[in-house]
Amino acid sequence: MATHNKTNDDAAAGSATSSSASPPDPPEVMQLFKMATSKNEKYFIDQMGTAFVQYDSDIGSTSSPVDSIEFKDYLRRLWRSSKDGIINSEKLKLVIAELSAEARAGESYLLTPRFAHSKDTDSIIYDFIDGTGDVAVINIDGVNVVHRSSLLDNTPLLRTESHQKPQDRPERSSDPGLIKGLFKDFMNIPDHSEALLCGWIGVSFLPHLTQPAIYLTGEPASGKTTQLRVLRRLIDPSILELLDPPRRLQDAELQAAQHPVLMYDNLDDTIPKSLSDFWCRVITGGASAKRAHNENTAMVMMQFKAPMAFNGINLAAAKADLLDRTILLHALHIKREDAVEEEAEFYPAFDSQKPIFLGAIFNGLSKAMKIYPELKIKGSGRFGDFVKWGAAFCEATGYGADRFIREYDSNRDRQIRAAIESEVVAKIIFDWLTKRPNDFIFTGTTTALFNTLNDYILNERSDLPKDRNDMYMNKDYPRSPQALTKKLNYLTTMLEGAGIFIKKRSLSIGTEWQIHWISQENKIENQAPQAPLAPLNSEIGGSSGSSGGENPKLL
């Protein structure tokens, strides 16, 4: 009993002492939460609703998802340096949950990796990711380098991915015309494609625009891989310069969400339909949503839109809709005696010139912003903005807007031809019509058209199977009038570019089709003559100054 009373007395005394002293330290979770919100960290959500934080990391000001490995490691280091201890993983998980709630209660920002377009200030913001927090601001008034903390609150924020490397500082006094040195000394494409690629490079720094992909073909040892690496180092230096074609759609989505520009090396001769369809979405812009890991209702959403480039020895048998979104380029032959060592000579020479090229690009973009409103170009379709901005950039860099338009139109014809070659029905229709007189018109039901095409294959094409069963062995060839209707719906827009105009109307007896063939020579009256097209995947160009397929430049 005495012992019990003594214990109570001691407890009472302890209570009195505690009431007069400072309150006990808060739990570790609250301590770390306060440490993580006591500096200049900014918690917010991006355009997809993901919780983000902007904080000062080891590489400078960084924006990362709150639940990213990079930010968790930052919090661990923060705790260790302050408490000389290690934070428990479960407690760190609770802190992350609280910080995510903090972010969702904050502002919403447009967030893109490396560079972004500010609609309010009509500027391009480019992050050097070199630990200084400095960014380049490109607008109609010029190019300025400022600290990102000085940007307006409504300016889009820039996300930093772990694979990204620091970018060189541009030579601020570089004349935009100096970009031509890039093509003279470090690229290996025909002269008649230089302005087209120059425009593509410029528009790559305008992430709000939709631009076609680049597909570079060429023989082995023609510098295809090297040229894509040069483009990647100019636009977005990365540890992952060139990517292998993904085997899973999930991997393709992650790549597209984490790279402001995508470069794929050595494509096979075939591209799976699912991957071709996804890359079409990346080019024009898309998003995906999946259930979060170990969650029943929470979703992980990703947004993707990026310039793309591919290379391969041959043009892969892609689907028509991907080819319709692709600029086709071909690398010239390199003489063995002209080849140089990449690591010992080529890349050091390029790296020494890169600040000049970057300065030319940035100053060219600023100049193009002044030229763009004055251009009288009727852009149409999904790439109308690309055409006008590419023309403005080429005008700023000395190539000229007219040359860019000519090269784009010429390449567009190659796109159409390649797309037709990739689709068996389009190829049969095109071949059937080219053997008919100009202004030929077919009018008939779906069944009549189906039978007409079959008869053409069986009676006029000596190189095709003479048995209908063999003809149907091609999985892409329609086996019924109904299947033909689906194909025609898919191919109509593409065939228009080849002078094949398809219309349909519903009748009581079914669908009636009208197919009007207008040869390329008569499609547009008074059209300016174009340079003769080289065969697909050919090296021969139609521009003066070409060297008969041999490249005199060192690569």
Side-chain angles (χ1 to χ4, degrees):
M1 190 69 173
T3 303
H4 175 72
N5 289 337
K6 184 178 186 302
T7 302
N8 288 342
D9 292 341
D10 291 343
S15 176
T17 302
S18 299
S19 62
S20 61
S22 60
D25 291 336
E28 291 176 325
V29 172
M30 184 55 69
Q31 288 185 54
L32 184 53
F33 175 83
K34 290 183 176 180
M35 290 167 61
T37 55
S38 61
K39 297 184 179 180
N40 294 322
E41 294 87 359
K42 177 185 288 188
Y43 292 88
F44 60 95
I45 58 173
D46 71 351
Q47 63 271 26
M48 301 301 290
T50 303
F52 266 83
V53 56
Q54 186 180 79
Y55 62 104
D56 291 328
S57 69
D58 296 337
I59 60 172
S61 184
T62 303
S63 295
S64 300
V66 172
D67 62 353
S68 66
I69 294 175
E70 290 80 11
F71 186 59
K72 290 177 182 177
D73 287 345
Y74 167 78
L75 293 179
R76 288 189 174 98
R77 293 192 298 272
L78 188 65
W79 179 265
R80 195 166 61 241
S81 62
S82 175
K83 298 296 184 180
D84 194 23
I86 297 175
I87 187 70
N88 179 278
S89 295
E90 289 301 316
K91 293 176 181 178
L92 178 61
K93 185 177 180 180
L94 293 174
V95 174
I96 292 296
E98 291 301 321
L99 293 175
S100 296
E102 186 79 3
R104 292 189 175 90
E107 300 291 332
S108 176
Y109 287 91
L110 175 66
L111 192 65
T112 57
R114 178 74 78 170
F115 48 89
H117 173 252
S118 173
K119 185 177 180 180
D120 291 337
T121 61
D122 196 18
S123 302
I124 301 299
I125 316 298
Y126 188 95
D127 193 350
F128 296 111
I129 313 182
D130 58 3
T132 64
D134 286 349
V135 298
V137 179
I138 308 166
N139 54 37
I140 198 170
D141 296 322
V143 181
N144 291 297
V145 175
V146 301
H147 194 272
R148 70 163 69 190
S149 62
S150 66
L151 298 176
L152 299 176
D153 288 340
N154 57 354
T155 301
L157 299 180
L158 302 174
R159 189 173 79 240
T160 307
E161 299 291 350
S162 58
H163 66 84
Q164 292 177 311
K165 294 170 62 176
Q167 178 62 286
D168 293 343
R169 295 299 177 98
E171 182 63 51
R172 299 184 67 174
S173 61
S174 287
D175 184 270
L178 294 176
I179 190 67
K180 292 182 178 180
L182 172 69
F183 297 95
K184 177 179 181 293
D185 297 324
F186 300 103
M187 301 301 289
N188 183 40
I189 60 172
D191 294 343
H192 63 76
S193 297
E194 279 189 18
L196 183 57
L197 183 54
C198 178
W200 186 89
I201 292 172
V203 178
S204 294
F205 290 85
L206 304 173
H208 59 298
L209 300 182
T210 298
Q211 70 182 99
I214 291 289
Y215 201 127
L216 180 64
T217 59
E219 64 188 52
S222 58
K224 301 184 298 298
T225 296
T226 303
Q227 292 180 84
L228 291 197
R229 283 179 175 160
V230 165
L231 294 177
R232 182 66 195 251
R233 294 184 184 192
L234 275 175
I235 302 169
D236 174 47
S238 170
I239 297 171
L240 306 172
E241 285 187 329
L242 302 185
L243 303 171
D244 293 327
R247 295 184 177 182
R248 301 185 306 164
L249 190 59
Q250 181 181 4
D251 295 333
E253 291 176 340
L254 287 173
Q255 290 172 350
Q258 295 175 354
H259 291 256
V261 61
L262 292 160
M263 306 253 171
Y264 288 99
D265 193 29
N266 290 324
L267 258 62
D268 293 331
D269 286 345
T270 58
I271 300 175
K273 183 180 184 304
S274 59
L275 186 56
S276 177
D277 292 343
F278 175 73
W279 280 343
C280 288
R281 294 172 59 203
V282 174
I283 292 169
T284 54
S288 68
K290 297 184 182 296
R291 185 171 64 86
H293 184 60
N294 292 330
E295 296 285 348
N296 291 325
T297 58
M299 302 293 290
V300 175
M301 292 182 286
M302 291 182 289
Q303 189 176 38
F304 30 76
K305 181 179 182 180
M308 301 186 71
F310 315 100
N311 73 37
I313 294 176
N314 299 306
L315 187 64
K319 295 300 179 181
D321 48 358
L322 179 59
L323 290 171
D324 185 55
R325 294 165 168 83
T326 305
I327 290 173
L328 306 179
L329 301 177
H330 192 78
L332 294 170
H333 172 73
I334 299 177
K335 295 179 181 180
R336 180 173 296 181
E337 60 268 25
D338 288 338
V340 300
E341 290 292 332
E342 288 188 0
E343 299 301 329
E345 299 178 62
F346 181 85
Y347 288 123
F350 169 72
D351 289 340
S352 68
Q353 296 293 307
K354 189 166 72 160
I356 295 175
F357 298 145
L358 282 172
I361 292 170
F362 286 9
N363 289 325
L365 286 170
S366 175
K367 189 174 179 181
M369 292 176 181
K370 301 175 184 176
I371 296 172
Y372 177 84
E374 305 300 324
L375 283 181
K376 305 300 181 184
I377 297 175
K378 293 182 179 180
S380 61
R382 65 171 66 94
F383 297 126
D385 288 336
F386 166 76
V387 171
K388 189 170 180 180
W389 273 105
F393 186 73
C394 283
E395 186 70 21
T397 54
Y399 278 106
D402 291 341
R403 177 174 172 179
F404 174 84
I405 296 298
R406 287 196 303 270
E407 291 185 11
Y408 177 81
D409 288 343
S410 178
N411 204 277
R412 180 64 181 157
D413 290 338
R414 297 190 70 209
Q415 284 178 269
I416 294 169
R417 272 194 299 164
I420 288 175
E421 288 292 323
S422 72
E423 292 285 345
V424 62
V425 174
K427 189 174 181 179
I428 292 297
I429 291 176
F430 183 78
D431 188 67
W432 166 58
L433 290 174
T434 54
K435 291 179 171 57
R436 271 63 190 163
N438 182 52
D439 273 344
F440 170 81
I441 298 177
F442 169 90
T443 302
T445 64
T446 307
T447 300
L449 178 59
F450 181 73
N451 291 333
T452 297
L453 294 178
N454 286 348
D455 289 341
Y456 168 73
I457 293 172
L458 294 171
N459 299 321
E460 296 188 43
R461 289 290 298 267
S462 60
D463 58 321
L464 294 176
K466 292 301 180 184
D467 183 272
R468 291 182 187 270
N469 291 328
D470 292 337
M471 186 169 61
Y472 293 150
M473 289 298 291
N474 189 315
K475 64 179 181 179
D476 292 325
Y477 190 82
R479 299 191 176 199
S480 67
Q482 292 77 14
L484 178 60
T485 295
K486 294 180 180 179
K487 279 289 184 181
L488 290 174
N489 290 336
Y490 172 71
L491 298 171
T492 295
T493 301
M494 179 193 70
L495 288 172
E496 283 185 5
I500 301 170
F501 299 89
I502 301 176
K503 295 181 180 180
K504 69 175 181 177
R505 63 173 181 165
S506 298
L507 303 176
S508 59
I509 59 173
T511 301
E512 181 185 73
W513 295 89
Q514 183 184 84
I515 301 180
H516 187 189
W517 160 242
I518 303 177
S519 67
Q520 291 292 96
E521 291 78 10
N522 300 310
K523 187 171 62 172
I524 301 177
E525 291 186 38
N526 301 322
Q527 183 181 13
Q530 300 293 324
L533 288 177
L536 196 62
N537 289 337
S538 169
E539 301 170 352
I540 302 173
S543 173
S544 62
S546 66
S547 52
E550 297 289 352
N551 180 19
K553 299 167 287 191
L554 298 183
L555 239 195

Short mmCIF file of all heavy atoms in Angstrom, two decimals, residues 174 176 359-369 392-393 396-397:
data_model
loop_
_atom_site.label_atom_id
_atom_site.label_comp_id
_atom_site.label_asym_id
_atom_site.label_seq_id
_atom_site.Cartn_x
_atom_site.Cartn_y
_atom_site.Cartn_z
N SER A 174 25.22 33.96 -81.38
CA SER A 174 25.20 33.17 -82.60
C SER A 174 24.13 33.67 -83.57
O SER A 174 22.97 33.85 -83.20
CB SER A 174 24.92 31.69 -82.28
OG SER A 174 26.03 31.08 -81.68
N PRO A 176 21.45 33.13 -86.40
CA PRO A 176 20.64 31.94 -86.75
C PRO A 176 21.15 31.18 -87.97
O PRO A 176 21.00 29.96 -88.06
CB PRO A 176 19.25 32.55 -87.00
CG PRO A 176 19.22 33.78 -86.17
CD PRO A 176 20.61 34.33 -86.20
N GLY A 359 22.86 28.39 -79.75
CA GLY A 359 22.61 29.82 -79.85
C GLY A 359 21.89 30.17 -81.14
O GLY A 359 20.98 31.01 -81.16
N ALA A 360 22.29 29.52 -82.24
CA ALA A 360 21.63 29.76 -83.53
C ALA A 360 20.17 29.32 -83.48
O ALA A 360 19.29 30.00 -84.01
CB ALA A 360 22.37 29.02 -84.64
N ILE A 361 19.91 28.18 -82.83
CA ILE A 361 18.53 27.69 -82.73
C ILE A 361 17.69 28.62 -81.87
O ILE A 361 16.57 29.02 -82.26
CB ILE A 361 18.52 26.26 -82.16
CG1 ILE A 361 19.14 25.27 -83.16
CG2 ILE A 361 17.09 25.83 -81.82
CD1 ILE A 361 19.38 23.89 -82.60
N PHE A 362 18.20 28.99 -80.70
CA PHE A 362 17.43 29.85 -79.80
C PHE A 362 17.17 31.22 -80.42
O PHE A 362 16.05 31.73 -80.38
CB PHE A 362 18.15 30.00 -78.46
CG PHE A 362 18.09 28.78 -77.57
CD1 PHE A 362 17.59 27.58 -78.04
CD2 PHE A 362 18.55 28.83 -76.27
CE1 PHE A 362 17.55 26.46 -77.23
CE2 PHE A 362 18.50 27.71 -75.44
CZ PHE A 362 18.00 26.52 -75.92
N ASN A 363 18.20 31.81 -81.01
CA ASN A 363 18.01 33.10 -81.67
C ASN A 363 17.13 32.97 -82.90
O ASN A 363 16.35 33.88 -83.23
CB ASN A 363 19.36 33.71 -82.05
CG ASN A 363 20.15 34.19 -80.84
OD1 ASN A 363 19.58 34.68 -79.88
ND2 ASN A 363 21.46 34.03 -80.88
N GLY A 364 17.23 31.84 -83.59
CA GLY A 364 16.35 31.59 -84.73
C GLY A 364 14.90 31.48 -84.32
O GLY A 364 14.00 31.97 -85.03
N LEU A 365 14.64 30.86 -83.17
CA LEU A 365 13.26 30.76 -82.68
C LEU A 365 12.71 32.14 -82.34
O LEU A 365 11.56 32.45 -82.64
CB LEU A 365 13.22 29.86 -81.44
CG LEU A 365 13.36 28.36 -81.70
CD1 LEU A 365 13.55 27.61 -80.38
CD2 LEU A 365 12.14 27.81 -82.43
N SER A 366 13.54 32.96 -81.71
CA SER A 366 13.09 34.32 -81.38
C SER A 366 12.77 35.11 -82.65
O SER A 366 11.75 35.81 -82.72
CB SER A 366 14.18 35.04 -80.57
OG SER A 366 13.82 36.38 -80.32
N LYS A 367 13.62 34.98 -83.64
CA LYS A 367 13.40 35.68 -84.91
C LYS A 367 12.16 35.13 -85.62
O LYS A 367 11.39 35.88 -86.24
CB LYS A 367 14.63 35.54 -85.79
CG LYS A 367 14.63 36.40 -87.04
CD LYS A 367 15.97 36.28 -87.78
CE LYS A 367 15.96 37.12 -89.05
NZ LYS A 367 17.26 37.00 -89.78
N ALA A 368 11.96 33.80 -85.54
CA ALA A 368 10.80 33.17 -86.18
C ALA A 368 9.50 33.66 -85.56
O ALA A 368 8.47 33.74 -86.24
CB ALA A 368 10.89 31.65 -86.07
N MET A 369 9.52 34.00 -84.27
CA MET A 369 8.32 34.51 -83.62
C MET A 369 7.89 35.85 -84.21
O MET A 369 6.70 36.19 -84.20
CB MET A 369 8.57 34.66 -82.11
CG MET A 369 8.73 33.33 -81.39
SD MET A 369 9.13 33.55 -79.63
CE MET A 369 9.28 31.84 -79.10
N ALA A 392 8.67 29.51 -90.91
CA ALA A 392 9.15 30.72 -90.23
C ALA A 392 10.58 30.51 -89.71
O ALA A 392 11.43 31.40 -89.81
CB ALA A 392 8.21 31.09 -89.09
N PHE A 393 10.85 29.34 -89.15
CA PHE A 393 12.18 29.06 -88.62
C PHE A 393 13.20 29.00 -89.76
O PHE A 393 14.34 29.50 -89.61
CB PHE A 393 12.18 27.75 -87.83
CG PHE A 393 13.47 27.45 -87.13
CD1 PHE A 393 13.84 28.16 -86.00
CD2 PHE A 393 14.33 26.47 -87.60
CE1 PHE A 393 15.05 27.90 -85.35
CE2 PHE A 393 15.53 26.19 -86.97
CZ PHE A 393 15.89 26.90 -85.83
N ALA A 396 14.04 32.38 -90.81
CA ALA A 396 14.92 33.03 -89.84
C ALA A 396 16.36 32.54 -89.95
O ALA A 396 17.30 33.29 -89.66
CB ALA A 396 14.40 32.78 -88.42
N THR A 397 16.55 31.29 -90.36
CA THR A 397 17.89 30.71 -90.40
C THR A 397 18.54 30.81 -91.78
O THR A 397 19.65 30.30 -91.98
CB THR A 397 17.85 29.24 -89.96
OG1 THR A 397 16.88 28.53 -90.75
CG2 THR A 397 17.49 29.12 -88.49
#
